[in-house]
Amino acid sequence: MADDPAPPLWQLVDSGLADEIVPELPALRLEQDPIHRHKDVLAHTIAVVAKTRVDLVLRLATLFHDVGKPRTRSFEKGSVTFYHHEAVGARMTKKRLEALVYPETVVHDVSELVRLSGRFKGYSDGWSDAAVRRYAREAGHLLGYLNELVRADCTTRNLKKAADLQHHVDDLEARIARLAEADSRSAERPLIDGNEVMARYGIGPGPAVGAALKFLLELKRAYPELNRSETKAHLDSWWADKHP
C-alpha cells in the first residue's frame, strides 16, 4: 500500500521473507532463456503493481494476476505459452489470501479479478456488441477494477503499443456505457400501451398513438413512481390539450 510499492516488494522477495509469506511471488522469477526470451514475470508483476493507485483490492489483483504462469508454462515451437494461467492463478490466489486471513470479500474480489484478467485479449481484433455485454456482465461490480488492471498490465517500452492499448480500453469503456444506456432505454415500457391508447380514445393506428406513447414514456422517466390510475389522468389531460 506504499505510494511506490516496487522497492518494498523487491525487498520482500530479495530478503527471503516472501518465501515464508507469499511463496507464489518469488516463483514468478522465471529463469531467462536465451532461446525463448520470455519475460521475467516477477519484474513485470512488480512493474504492474507500481502503476496502480493505492487500493487494496487493485494492488492485490495486480500482484497475483500472473501467479498461475509457473504452473502452466510450456514451450511450443520455440515460444513459451501459459494456457489457462488465469483460472489456475485464481485458485492459487484464493488459497493464499485465505491462508493470510484476508476478509472474505477481498478474497473473492481479488481472485475473481485474477480469473478475469485475460478477458480483454482479442478486443483489438473486433468484438461484437454481445461480446462487450458479456465482458461487462462477467465483471459485474468489478468492471472498473478490471479495466484498471488491464491498463496497468501493459509494461511495454513500445510507446505506440502502449498508446494503442489505452485507446482500446477507452473504446471498450465507451461502448459499454453506450450499450448500457441503450439497453436501459429499450427496457423501459410505459404503463399504458398503444392498444389501450387506441381503445381509450376510439382511434386507429397513426401518428397520434405514437405521440401519446412518446408522452407516456417521457412521463414515466420523469415520474417513475406514478401508478396506472395517475398515469391515465396525466394522459387524459395531455390528450385533451392536444385534441380539444
Side-chain angles (χ1 to χ4, degrees), residues 76-146:
E76 298 179 4
K77 299 180 181 179
S79 61
V80 65
T81 63
F82 303 99
Y83 293 130
H84 308 300
H85 76 85
E86 297 93 350
V88 172
R91 293 192 292 270
M92 295 171 63
T93 298
K94 183 175 185 294
K95 183 177 180 180
R96 178 54 55 198
L97 293 184
E98 286 177 342
L100 293 173
V101 201
Y102 276 94
E104 184 178 344
T105 55
V106 173
V107 174
H108 173 272
D109 287 354
V110 173
S111 57
E112 186 68 0
L113 283 168
V114 172
R115 185 183 72 83
L116 295 170
S117 61
R119 289 292 195 271
F120 182 78
K121 294 174 184 176
Y123 180 77
S124 60
D125 296 328
W127 277 9
S128 65
D129 287 348
V132 172
R133 288 187 175 96
R134 185 164 55 250
Y135 175 91
R137 184 171 59 251
E138 281 197 67
H141 73 285
L142 298 172
L143 179 60
Y145 277 130
L146 180 57

Side-chain angles (χ1 to χ4, degrees), residues 139-201:
H141 73 285
L142 298 172
L143 179 60
Y145 277 130
L146 180 57
N147 289 339
E148 286 187 78
L149 192 161
V150 171
R151 290 183 187 275
D153 197 20
C154 179
T155 57
T156 180
R157 294 181 181 179
N158 185 313
L159 297 181
K160 184 180 185 306
K161 286 184 178 180
D164 284 346
L165 181 134
Q166 300 304 323
H167 167 74
H168 290 314
V169 179
D170 288 342
D171 184 68
L172 173 61
E173 290 178 335
R175 286 185 66 188
I176 289 173
R178 288 197 301 269
L179 289 171
E181 176 67 16
D183 290 345
S184 176
R185 295 289 187 183
S186 65
E188 292 180 339
R189 295 289 185 275
L191 295 180
I192 300 173
D193 63 18
N195 290 329
E196 191 169 354
V197 169
M198 290 187 288
R200 190 171 186 83
Y201 301 112

Side-chain angles (χ1 to χ4, degrees), residues 32-38 75 78-79:
Q32 294 297 305
D33 188 313
I35 298 176
H36 302 292
R37 299 178 183 176
H38 55 271
F75 299 99
S79 61

